[in-house]
């Protein structure tokens, strides 16, 4: 089997695995829809007091909310993607089996995570987004080019998200347990990605800092590309630079970790 077919099969396996959890998916759809409604009315009240906050009108703010709910599980904003299984395999020593496979460790887990992301978007993310578009005024583009530009930004966001989480997972080679770093990942993800508030409403120096961190590539930039608030090529350059940097850092840390080969129970 060629490398392309191998990793495509791995990604398909990741998709099928998450597709089996129908009850969890239904619960996720309900949760994201409910939180979306709560956030929308919170945003509407805030934008009533501060019109055009962060450069958005109310329709754009509503669009941002529902896009965030769509991408929450897709991009594993608070963790819970393939890195969770990777951490457990490192902790138990089962990672040794992965290292013996005639496949690249990073590409193997990236493929699994891409399959997971695709299912989470289709199975859990689309329904809340469509619900929002039906019941609330949203600033959605009408031309196919804007949607195509958004999909490219979403793919790059998926790579950045994996790059962050892969580095966190590899830290378990040294920490022997992923509980603490998982909690840090959840906090940083929800705050720095713009899941709580758009990053362009953060004031002063804090706003300047959060907008150059890799988490800005996850929700803020895809949202701005979709709503025409930023040039796609500039967004791609930012996302691509972070994706390359994070994946390269993951490759270096992976090399150091596999040389160490100190895993609990392995």
């Amino acid at each position: 089997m060629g490398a392309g077919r191998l990793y495509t099969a791995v990604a398909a396996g990741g998709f099928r695995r998450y597709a089996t959890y129908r009850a969890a998916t239904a619960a996720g759809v309900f949760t994201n829809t409910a939180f979306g409604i709560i956030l929308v009315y919170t945003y509407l009240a805030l934008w009533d007091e501060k019109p055009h906050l962060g450069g958005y009108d109310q329709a754009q703010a509503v669009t941002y909310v529902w896009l965030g709910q769509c991408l929450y599980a897709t991009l594993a904003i608070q963790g819970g993607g393939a890195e969770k299984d990777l951490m457990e395999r490192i902790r138990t020593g089962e990672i040794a089996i992965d290292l013996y496979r005639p496949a690249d460790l990073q590409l193997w887990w990236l493929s699994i995570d891409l399959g997971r992301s695709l299912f989470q978007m289709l199975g859990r993310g689309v329904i809340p987004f469509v619900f929002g578009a039906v019941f609330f005024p949203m600033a959605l583009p009408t031309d196919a080019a804007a949607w195509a530009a958004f999909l490219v930004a979403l793919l790059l966001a998926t790579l950045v998200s994996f790059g962050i989480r892969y580095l966190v997972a590899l830290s378990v080679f040294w920490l022997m347990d992923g509980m603490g770093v998982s909690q840090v990942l959840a906090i940083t993800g929800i705050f720095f990605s713009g899941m709580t508030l758009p990053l362009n409403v953060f004031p002063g120096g804090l706003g300047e800092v959060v907008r150059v961190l890799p988490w800005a590539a996850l929700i803020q930039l895809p949202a701005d590309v979709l709503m025409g608030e930023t040039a796609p090529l500039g967004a791609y350059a930012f996302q691509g630079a972070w994706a390359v940097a994070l994946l390269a850092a993951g490759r270096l840390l992976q090399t150091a970790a596999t040389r160490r080969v100190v895993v609990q129970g392995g």
Side-chain angles (χ1 to χ4, degrees):
M1 179 181 291
R5 290 178 60 193
L6 169 64
Y7 296 119
T8 299
V10 172
F15 184 98
R16 287 194 301 270
R17 175 189 172 187
Y18 281 86
T20 61
Y21 300 114
R22 295 186 180 90
T25 299
V29 169
F30 175 80
T31 301
N32 285 126
T33 303
F35 271 98
I37 294 171
I38 294 170
L39 282 174
V40 160
Y41 283 110
T42 303
Y43 274 38
L44 289 175
L46 179 58
W47 260 258
D48 276 338
E49 293 296 322
K50 299 283 187 179
H52 299 288
L53 180 63
Y56 289 164
D57 59 26
Q58 281 193 340
Q60 289 175 313
V62 170
T63 304
Y64 186 92
V65 169
W66 289 113
L67 186 61
Q69 295 305 308
C70 176
L71 300 184
Y72 172 77
T74 302
L75 300 177
I77 296 298
Q78 287 189 277
E83 84 288 344
K84 183 178 180 181
D85 293 333
L86 178 55
M87 287 179 182
E88 181 62 17
R89 293 181 72 82
I90 295 172
R91 188 189 69 80
T92 61
E94 292 178 280
I95 190 67
I97 298 173
D98 299 338
L99 294 174
Y100 273 112
R101 288 193 182 105
D104 182 85
L105 184 69
Q106 188 181 48
L107 287 176
W108 180 275
W109 286 98
L110 173 59
S111 298
I112 292 174
D113 200 61
L114 288 174
R116 178 206 62 81
S117 296
L118 180 59
F119 172 77
Q120 293 288 24
M121 183 181 70
L122 297 177
R124 179 171 171 174
V126 169
I127 295 175
F129 189 78
V130 172
F131 175 90
V134 170
F135 292 100
F136 296 91
M138 291 173 63
L140 298 177
T142 56
D143 61 303
W147 286 100
F150 165 72
L151 290 177
V152 174
L154 179 56
L155 176 60
L156 290 171
T158 305
L159 295 178
V160 173
S161 173
F162 173 79
I164 295 170
R165 291 179 287 112
Y166 191 68
L167 286 170
V168 171
L170 291 179
S171 70
V172 179
F173 272 104
W174 287 268
L175 299 175
M176 303 301 177
D177 185 81
M179 183 65 71
V181 290
S182 294
Q183 292 175 345
V184 172
L185 177 65
I187 294 170
T188 55
I190 201 72
F191 182 79
F192 291 116
S193 70
M195 190 71 197
T196 305
L197 277 174
L199 300 181
N200 53 18
V201 310
F202 283 44
L206 176 61
E208 294 178 4
V209 170
V210 296
R211 286 191 290 271
V212 298
L213 295 177
W215 290 275
L218 303 186
I219 296 179
Q220 186 67 60
L221 282 179
D224 283 342
V225 168
L226 180 65
M227 295 186 290
E229 289 295 311
T230 190
L233 291 181
Y236 299 161
F238 179 88
Q239 292 177 297
W242 270 118
V244 170
L246 290 166
L247 292 174
R251 176 73 57 175
L252 291 174
L253 191 60
Q254 172 185 307
T255 301
T258 52
R259 285 177 181 171
R260 179 180 177 85
V261 194
V262 178
V263 288
Q264 185 174 340

